[in-house]
Amino acid sequence: MRRWPWILLAVLVSAVAVVAWGVRRRADLEWERMSANTARRLAEIEERSALGPSDRARAEPGDAWEAYGRALAAAEQLPDDLDEDLESFADRRPDVDPRPIVARLREAAAILDDLRLGARRTGIVRTRDWSKGMSMGFPGLLGARRIAYLAACHARILDEEGRFRGAAEILLDVLTLGDDLGRGGVLLEELVGEAVGHIGALGLRHLVSRLGAEELLETARRIERLESTRPRIAQALWNDFVAAGITIETEGNVGGSGTAGDVLASWRYGFSPRLAGAIGVNELHGLADRARETDRASWIEARCIAEEIEREAESSPNWLVRMCFPGLMVETERAYLARLRLIRLAAAWRATGQVPAVEDPFGDTLRSSVSAGTLRAWSVGADGADDGGAGDWTGGADLVLEVPGH
């Protein structure tokens, strides 16, 4: 009888060993799958980035990021004493003393020169060290926003001096910078680029009523070119998870430290952080593949896809998925596109007297009405309902742009 405890112990040890072997074997298979997926996706990113957009206004050869890099570095070194005043002046608030702004613009002349230069150059894909995964460096929001607000302030001064073409050109360069910041990058880069683009779009909104026909048509053409080649949120998220896969692969487990906390968090996966990390990354890759469908879908379809994916991510048993999935933010992306298209529509109307049919990112086509010589154009907005232009540039029921005629 005394042999039974030893036999039972031997059986239990054998069972644990078999389970441990099974967990390790599955971890190896999932890890191989993750590594292959990540490598294939990284190759796709690099291939796509190498193509770049086919059309660039005032194009000249050269590396755009050589110029942008200088501008960003210099902008980050500027003192922050005028940041609020720069934003207020760019937003056309009347209570800002322009003299310190003009002085700061003189100091920052080289920054704006580099902005213009970068926006012309055809080498527009920033070199990224993908081997560092989520730790790779990227331009920060501070420098990018300062460049955009400096340019918007300069555009306001040019506008008030009657130099409308120059004002429009530098604001269009801000839109170009915003697109280039996010091109081929991860989600945070795309969001920084979109924030920069909003600043340029706000300036153009004020300027549309001052440009001549030639400048208006050129503005509409450049915006349309930018729309056709700009980076997309879903693709940036897809790139984000490639970087996450590289990080997990490099660090060797889900937390990167192998601590007791990492092991306990992976209890669902046989207490294997390696298995938990590999399964989590593979799940994120699958969600990102489906997220790219939103780029080609109507707004109603895109919103349904996004909500379904977000629910799956929030309810995932893998804590890495729940932690890393930030949401698709397709609404903010489409609102930015809607504002660009409203400017394009208004520019074409001012130049030709005809309202063109322009696709609404939230519906079929942008709506408009002309009363007493003033154009009121609007997107139906995220609710998808036409509220007759009830709203303004910042939102409301509809996204609205109002522009006086000649």
Side-chain angles (χ1 to χ4, degrees):
M1 294 294 294
R2 294 179 180 177
R3 296 171 55 190
W4 281 107
W6 294 104
I7 293 172
L8 181 60
L9 179 61
V11 170
L12 289 173
V13 170
S14 299
V16 169
V18 169
V19 171
W21 179 86
V23 169
R24 183 169 182 175
R25 178 57 179 159
R26 188 183 174 198
D28 289 342
L29 293 174
E30 290 288 347
W31 198 268
E32 290 172 7
R33 179 181 165 214
M34 179 193 74
S35 298
N37 274 340
T38 300
R40 175 176 56 80
R41 289 159 188 265
L42 179 57
E44 182 180 329
I45 290 172
E46 292 173 340
E47 181 181 0
R48 189 186 318 108
S49 297
L51 297 175
S54 59
D55 194 3
R56 195 160 174 93
R58 301 172 297 151
E60 66 176 55
D63 180 6
W65 281 98
E66 179 187 2
Y68 285 152
R70 286 195 303 265
L72 287 163
E76 288 178 357
Q77 295 303 312
L78 290 174
D80 61 5
D81 58 322
L82 286 182
D83 283 355
E84 290 186 10
D85 285 346
L86 286 170
E87 182 174 350
S88 297
F89 190 78
D91 288 345
R92 307 284 174 135
R93 297 175 192 168
D95 56 343
V96 182
D97 183 357
R99 290 171 295 182
I101 304 296
V102 171
R104 179 59 52 83
L105 288 172
R106 283 197 294 266
E107 296 171 15
I111 294 175
L112 297 183
D113 288 342
D114 278 327
L115 167 63
R116 295 184 184 95
L117 181 59
R120 291 198 304 270
R121 286 184 168 175
T122 55
I124 62 171
V125 179
R126 187 171 65 85
T127 301
R128 295 173 174 87
D129 187 357
W130 285 94
S131 66
K132 294 182 178 179
M134 299 301 291
S135 299
M136 64 180 167
F138 46 81
L141 179 60
L142 175 62
R145 279 173 57 88
R146 276 188 183 156
I147 292 172
Y149 276 123
L150 287 166
C153 289
H154 184 55
R156 176 178 172 180
I157 290 171
L158 292 176
D159 176 10
E160 291 172 351
E161 293 174 351
R163 298 160 64 187
F164 306 130
R165 179 190 288 271
E169 286 179 351
I170 198 163
L171 290 170
L172 288 164
D173 288 343
V174 170
L175 296 186
T176 302
L177 170 64
D179 281 8
D180 290 348
L181 281 164
R183 198 178 307 283
V186 295
L187 182 61
L188 186 56
E189 293 175 285
E190 161 60 14
L191 294 176
V192 169
E194 191 173 292
V196 165
H198 273 293
I199 297 169
L202 178 63
L204 285 169
R205 167 209 172 199
H206 291 298
L207 197 63
V208 166
S209 62
R210 294 161 171 78
L211 295 171
E214 182 181 345
E215 291 85 4
L216 287 164
L217 291 174
E218 177 58 23
T219 296
R221 283 192 291 266
R222 281 193 64 180
I223 290 176
E224 188 170 14
R225 284 196 295 263
L226 287 167
E227 285 177 30
S228 66
T229 60
R230 73 174 307 276
R232 304 303 295 265
I233 286 280
Q235 183 59 53
L237 185 68
W238 197 88
N239 297 352
D240 228 34
F241 297 150
V242 172
I246 293 169
T247 298
I248 297 297
E249 188 173 4
T250 301
E251 296 185 353
N253 64 68
V254 70
S257 62
T259 64
D262 293 336
V263 175
L264 290 173
S266 61
W267 66 269
R268 294 177 182 274
Y269 306 97
F271 296 101
S272 169
R274 192 166 186 260
L275 177 59
I279 289 178
V281 171
N282 288 331
E283 187 175 339
L284 288 170
H285 284 328
L287 293 174
D289 285 340
R290 289 165 55 199
R292 291 204 293 187
E293 297 172 9
T294 60
D295 290 344
R296 300 180 296 274
S298 69
W299 167 237
I300 294 175
E301 293 169 338
R303 183 169 57 186
C304 290
I305 293 169
E307 289 173 353
E308 180 182 343
I309 291 172
E310 287 166 2
R311 281 195 301 269
E312 286 188 28
E314 289 170 2
S315 62
S316 172
N318 191 291
W319 73 268
L320 179 68
V321 175
R322 298 195 303 272
M323 179 183 71
C324 290
F325 197 89
L328 281 178
M329 293 169 280
V330 289
E331 180 179 336
T332 60
E333 176 180 55
R334 293 201 179 213
Y336 176 54
L337 283 172
R339 290 183 175 97
L340 291 181
R341 290 176 183 177
L342 286 169
I343 294 170
R344 177 156 63 89
L345 181 149
W349 173 75
R350 286 267 306 173
T352 66
Q354 302 296 316
V355 178
V358 177
E359 183 182 353
D360 185 350
F362 292 111
D364 45 18
T365 57
L366 296 175
R367 286 14 181 215
S368 64
S369 65
V370 179
S371 177
T374 295
L375 171 74
R376 189 172 182 84
W378 65 93
S379 161
V380 297
D383 65 0
D386 182 2
D387 293 287
D392 56 28
W393 181 254
T394 60
D398 299 325
L399 290 172
V400 181
L401 174 61
E402 194 168 88
V403 177
H406 295 284

